Amino acid sequence: MLIHPQIDPIAFSIGPLAVRWYGLMYLAGFAAGWWLGLRRIKAGVAPITRQQFDDLIFLAVLGVILGGRLGYVLFYKPGYYAGHPLEVFAVWQGGMSFHGGLLGVMVAMWVAARRHRVDFLRLVDFV
């Protein structure tokens, strides 16, 4: 039998603001992606410029957050949220989907590729 540790989902609190481990991992992932992208641009192996990369990171963060939430709503609890549509915005109650986040990032990369006239497959390979 597996024994799962009881880990508090809240990493720390500042007054009424609770910072959760899940959110810190999102932040760490965004920071690591940004750092690695900058290194590849500096090495001259990226199909985009620094300014285009900054735009891509912004769009990717939006894609992860919006896509992850919409994916959770549509893939896991569509009936519940159809009856309670305003709770789609209650992100503090949890609910993100990897599948939705991945689709959101794919859409973000497509938008960035079209906006900056970069080949989509080269941009996907870079990411």
Side-chain angles (χ1 to χ4, degrees):
M1 182 167 114
L2 290 174
I3 299 173
H4 298 283
Q6 297 296 321
I7 299 173
D8 186 2
I10 297 174
F12 60 91
S13 297
I14 302 173
L17 177 68
V19 177
R20 298 177 185 270
W21 289 109
Y22 199 68
L24 289 175
M25 292 303 103
Y26 270 98
L27 186 61
F30 295 143
W34 180 68
W35 179 74
L36 288 170
L38 290 181
R39 284 191 55 192
R40 295 197 61 210
I41 289 170
K42 192 173 187 177
V45 294
I48 57 177
T49 66
R50 167 66 193 266
Q51 290 77 22
Q52 292 170 333
F53 179 66
D54 290 342
D55 187 42
L56 174 64
I57 284 289
F58 176 75
L59 291 172
V61 168
L62 281 179
V64 166
I65 294 170
L66 295 176
R69 182 61 178 173
L70 288 175
Y72 178 78
V73 167
L74 296 174
F75 299 149
Y76 294 103
K77 294 186 176 182
Y80 175 79
Y81 287 106
H84 305 89
L86 291 179
E87 289 192 30
V88 168
F89 303 106
V91 295
W92 55 89
Q93 294 177 2
M96 295 287 281
S97 160
F98 167 79
H99 311 86
L102 177 62
L103 291 172
V105 170
M106 296 298 290
V107 169
M109 287 189 294
W110 180 78
V111 168
R114 286 190 49 103
R115 180 181 291 174
H116 298 297
R117 294 184 171 85
V118 176
D119 180 55
F120 176 71
L121 293 179
R122 288 193 68 211
L123 186 62
V124 170
D125 187 47
F126 166 70
V127 170

